[in-house]
């Protein structure tokens, strides 16, 4: 089937689905309206039925629209397998065999725990339902099934979460270093926490209260020392948490020393910029000739000459182009001594370096291909960072496929 005919088929299914949900929405409105009038005949029942019926009908229609969009939108194609997948699988065979033995034993332990913990969780849900019967608004039969089911699921989580997390970390620590080595003198480790103090002091990152740094690629890439940390910063916002930054913090050691400190931070409006200047800690505003760059960023430095030597027209052009790097948003930068740090926020959803679940075989070709693709994506970002600086670009080796 051609891509055009497949798209037409998806659109036809979506149209039928929307028509069905449209009929369901009208029926829902009428049912709610009739029920409201039977409960309270007169104007108050009519108004209540209209408002509640419209709300229920819109809810049904919204579900239908969401399902139709899911049908029309084609699923993202899985990443292409690397050409050397057979070689990768062969080199990883002993590691994957050991992981599979660990996984099988772990599944056995989880099932043994579930025998007692799922009934305990379901029993707790039942007790909670019984407790509600003594209140002013006792729960119904539907709530009984809901509480018992939720309790049983909680028992499953209780039985599996810690062991599943242990397997997840073990898989990463054994498989990812070998996959990273396919790209040169690189390895993987649980992330070494970056110096967040200097990043906050220089206004690269500002208002956050929790740091999660789980994964790191490090080593020598294209002849330069490199570290890439998968970083997530959040802040408490009422009853939820707001994501401040979710992306990659890339560090390369430049082949030339840089005098002082240069920070390229997001333009935060006149009030935010004024606040940043007031807490500048010896920094000065660096005026940039490029008006496009000035519209997006504020640059601060402790040495005007060194900052301008780094921020050449070619650097700024490539830095602005990082916005168009697939899957990433607007970058930020900090240069100190001979170290260049680039913060690249992820624009897309989904986590990097996620291993297969303990429910799946360890020797999972799709999972290995995805992890290999994740490393390639991260190194594509590293290539763009290396190409920012003329001196780094001059000495860097060509990228490896």
């Amino acid at each position: 089937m051609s891509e055009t005919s497949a798209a037409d088929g998806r659109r036809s299914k979506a149209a039928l689905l929307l028509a069905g949900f449209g009929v369901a929405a009208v029926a829902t409105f009428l049912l709610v309206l009739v029920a409201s009038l039977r409960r309270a005949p007169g104007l108050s029942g009519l108004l209540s039925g209209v408002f509640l019926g419209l709300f229920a009908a819109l809810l049904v229609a919204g579900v239908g629209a969401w399902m139709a969009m899911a049908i029309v939108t084609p699923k993202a194609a899985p990443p292409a397998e690397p050409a050397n997948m057979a070689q990768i699988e062969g080199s990883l065979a002993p590691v994957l065999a050991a992981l599979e033995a660990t996984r099988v034993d772990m599944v056995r332990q989880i099932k043994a725990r579930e025998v007692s913990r799922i009934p305990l969780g379901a029993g707790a849900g039942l007790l909670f339902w019984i407790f509600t019967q003594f209140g002013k608004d006792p729960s119904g039969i539907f709530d009984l099934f809901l509480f018992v089911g939720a309790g049983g699921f909680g028992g499953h989580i209780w039985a599996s979460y810690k062991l599943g997390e242990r397997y997840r970390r073990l898989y990463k620590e054994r498989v990812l270093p070998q996959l990273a080595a396919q790209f040169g003198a690189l390895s993987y480790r649980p992330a070494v926490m970056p110096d967040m103090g200097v990043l906050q002091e220089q206004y690269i990152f500002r208002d956050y209260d929790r740091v999660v740094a789980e994964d790191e690629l490090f080593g020598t890439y294209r002849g330069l020392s490199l570290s890439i940390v998968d970083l997530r910063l959040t802040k408490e916002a009422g009853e939820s948490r707001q994501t401040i930054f979710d992306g990659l913090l890339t560090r390369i050691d430049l082949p030339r020393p840089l005098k002082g400190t240069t920070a390229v931070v997001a333009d935060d409006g006149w009030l935010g910029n004024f606040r940043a200047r007031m807490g500048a800690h010896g920094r000065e505003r660096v005026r940039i000739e490029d008006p496009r760059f000035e519209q997006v960023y504020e640059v601060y430095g402790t040495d005007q000459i060194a900052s301008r030597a780094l921020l050449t027209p070619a650097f700024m052009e490539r830095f602005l182009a990082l916005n168009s790097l697939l899957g990433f948003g607007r970058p930020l930068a900090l240069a100190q001594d001979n170290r260049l740090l680039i913060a690249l926020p992820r624009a897309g959803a989904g986590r990097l370096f996620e291993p297969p679940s303990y429910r799946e075989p360890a020797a999972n070709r799709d999972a290995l291909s995805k992890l290999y693709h994740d490393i390639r994506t991260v190194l594509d970002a590293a290539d763009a960072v290396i190409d920012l600086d003329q001196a780094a670009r001059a000495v860097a080796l060509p990228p490896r496929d």
Side-chain angles (χ1 to χ4, degrees):
M1 183 184 292
S2 69
E3 185 175 340
T4 302
S5 59
D8 290 340
R10 290 195 299 270
R11 283 193 288 269
S12 298
K13 290 179 182 178
L16 288 172
L17 184 70
L18 282 173
F21 269 89
V23 172
V26 173
T28 300
F29 173 78
L30 293 174
L31 286 171
V32 172
L33 179 60
V34 170
S36 179
L37 286 170
R38 289 184 63 183
R39 187 170 58 250
L43 182 60
S44 64
L46 176 64
L47 293 175
S48 175
V50 168
F51 284 116
L52 290 176
L54 283 175
F55 176 77
L58 287 172
L59 189 62
V60 171
V63 171
W66 178 81
M67 293 177 67
M69 285 296 296
I71 291 173
V72 171
T73 305
K75 292 183 179 179
E81 285 187 2
N84 59 339
M85 176 53 80
Q87 176 188 342
I88 292 171
E89 287 180 318
S91 65
L92 282 169
V95 170
L96 293 173
L99 281 169
E100 180 64 14
T102 300
R103 186 191 73 84
V104 169
D105 182 63
M106 191 171 290
V107 169
R108 180 190 59 77
Q109 292 181 57
I110 289 172
K111 287 181 177 178
R113 292 182 177 191
E114 285 177 336
V115 169
S116 59
R117 297 186 183 184
I118 288 180
L120 281 173
L126 174 61
L127 288 174
F128 182 75
W129 181 83
I130 293 172
F131 176 78
T132 66
Q133 302 306 300
F134 298 97
K136 293 181 179 179
D137 186 18
S139 301
I141 294 298
F142 175 79
D143 295 318
L144 171 62
F145 289 108
L146 180 65
F147 294 158
V148 170
F153 182 72
H156 163 71
I157 299 297
W158 182 22
S160 63
Y161 180 75
K162 285 187 177 180
L163 289 173
E165 278 296 295
R166 188 187 307 168
Y167 175 75
R168 176 175 171 271
R169 289 193 298 269
L170 184 66
Y171 193 102
K172 284 185 175 187
E173 290 169 8
R174 292 191 179 178
V175 171
L176 283 170
Q178 295 200 41
L179 285 178
Q182 300 291 321
F183 296 90
L186 289 170
S187 190
Y188 164 89
R189 65 189 175 198
V192 175
M193 186 65 68
D195 184 356
M196 299 304 299
V198 68
L199 290 166
Q200 192 169 30
E201 181 182 281
Q202 299 297 333
Y203 279 77
I204 303 301
F205 302 127
R206 302 189 184 182
D207 198 11
Y208 63 90
D209 57 24
R210 181 181 295 174
V211 182
V212 177
E214 187 172 333
D215 305 304
E216 180 182 2
L217 288 183
F218 71 101
T220 302
Y221 180 65
R222 297 179 59 186
L224 299 171
S225 178
L226 171 77
S227 167
I228 306 174
V229 173
D230 192 8
L231 185 68
R232 190 164 187 262
L233 308 177
T234 60
K235 177 188 176 183
E236 187 173 356
E239 296 182 357
S240 61
R241 297 200 68 81
Q242 176 187 358
T243 299
I244 304 302
F245 176 83
D246 184 8
L248 304 176
L249 183 64
T250 302
R251 188 211 78 216
I252 63 168
D253 291 345
L254 299 174
R256 61 184 176 114
L258 296 171
K259 188 177 179 182
T261 298
T262 301
V264 180
V265 303
D267 190 299
D268 200 22
W270 72 268
L271 183 59
N273 295 338
F274 175 76
R275 193 165 56 239
R277 291 168 197 165
M278 290 297 291
H281 301 292
R283 303 177 306 169
E284 298 176 351
R285 175 79 187 280
V286 179
R287 292 291 178 185
I288 302 299
E289 300 284 330
D290 189 331
R292 294 180 306 149
F293 204 85
E294 282 274 296
Q295 285 179 353
V296 181
Y297 294 107
E298 290 251 317
V299 180
Y300 297 93
T302 57
D303 187 295
Q304 293 275 337
I305 295 175
S307 295
R308 290 195 176 91
L310 172 70
L311 300 175
T312 62
F315 182 103
M316 290 186 288
E317 187 71 29
R318 290 186 172 91
F319 196 78
L320 288 171
L322 284 178
N323 278 307
S324 60
L325 189 66
L326 187 62
F328 294 95
R330 188 172 67 183
L332 306 170
L334 177 67
Q336 279 188 321
D337 301 323
N338 69 328
R339 182 164 293 178
L340 178 62
L341 290 164
I342 303 290
L344 271 171
R346 255 195 308 270
R351 306 300 304 168
L352 294 171
F353 308 126
E354 280 302 302
S357 164
Y358 69 85
R359 301 177 187 87
E360 303 173 31
N364 185 319
R365 174 170 276 212
D366 288 341
L368 288 175
S369 180
K370 170 65 167 56
L371 290 171
Y372 186 95
H373 175 75
D374 287 346
I375 295 172
R376 178 69 274 171
T377 298
V378 168
L379 293 180
D380 285 344
D383 289 331
V385 172
I386 289 170
D387 289 342
L388 286 172
D389 185 70
Q390 183 177 355
R393 197 165 63 252
V395 303
L397 302 174
R400 283 183 63 173
D401 294 329

